[in-house]
Amino acid sequence: MIQEFKDFIAKGNVMDMAVGIIIGAAFTAIVTSLVTDLINPIIGLFMGGVDFSAMGIALGEGEDAGVFAYGNFIMALINFLIIAWVVFMLVKAVNRVKEASTAEKEEPAPEEPKGPTVEELLAEIRDSLKAKS
C-alpha cells in the first residue's frame, strides 16, 4: 500500500498539480496586491476617491448589527477578472510556444521516390513471360 502511494505521488501529473497550486497561491497574493495597491487607487481617483472595500450597508443599529459588504464583493470580482485575464494570457503564450516548438520538430520529410505499384510489376512480369514463350 505504501509503495502504491509512492508510485501515485511520483507520477508527473500529481507533481505538476502540486507545483501549479503552490505557484497559483503565490500568484494570487501578487494579483491581490496589484489590485489593492495599484488598481483600486486609480479606480478611486476616477470615481472621486471611492474605496470599494469600505462600501456596505448596515443591517441594523448597534454593535451586533451586521454589514452587507458589497464593496468587498466588488473587490473580489475585480481580483477574479484580473487573475482570469492574466491566466488566459499566460496559457495563450504557453500554447503559442508549444505550437512553435512542435512545428519546428515536425518538419516535413522529403518525399522518397515512389517505385512501381504491385499491378505494374505483375504486368511487367506477365509481359516478360509472354515474350519468352
Side-chain angles (χ1 to χ4, degrees):
M1 183 113 157
I2 292 175
Q3 184 59 39
E4 287 179 279
F5 182 71
K6 286 180 182 177
D7 292 341
F8 172 74
I9 292 298
K11 284 185 181 176
N13 294 341
V14 174
M15 297 306 285
D16 292 343
M17 185 177 69
V19 169
I21 290 170
I22 293 167
I23 296 293
F27 185 71
T28 300
I30 291 171
V31 172
T32 301
S33 175
L34 172 75
V35 171
T36 304
D37 300 331
L38 302 177
I39 293 176
N40 286 346
I42 294 171
I43 292 174
L45 180 67
F46 288 113
M47 305 241 347
V50 175
D51 180 17
F52 285 115
S53 61
M55 294 177 135
I57 299 172
L59 300 175
E61 296 181 19
E63 292 180 21
D64 295 338
V67 176
F68 184 73
Y70 63 88
N72 288 333
F73 176 75
I74 291 172
M75 296 311 303
L77 187 62
I78 291 171
N79 282 345
F80 170 77
L81 292 174
I82 291 171
I83 291 170
W85 176 256
V86 171
V87 168
F88 168 74
M89 296 304 287
L90 286 173
V91 169
K92 192 173 177 180
V94 167
N95 286 342
R96 193 175 303 135
V97 168
K98 280 184 181 179
E99 288 173 5
S101 68
T102 56
E104 291 173 5
K105 290 179 183 177
E106 295 178 5
E107 293 179 9
E111 289 189 28
E112 296 180 17
K114 295 184 179 182
T117 63
V118 173
E119 289 82 14
E120 292 171 339
L121 289 174
L122 289 173
E124 189 177 322
I125 292 170
R126 181 196 65 213
D127 294 341
S128 120
L129 287 174
K130 278 185 183 178
K132 289 183 180 178
S133 16

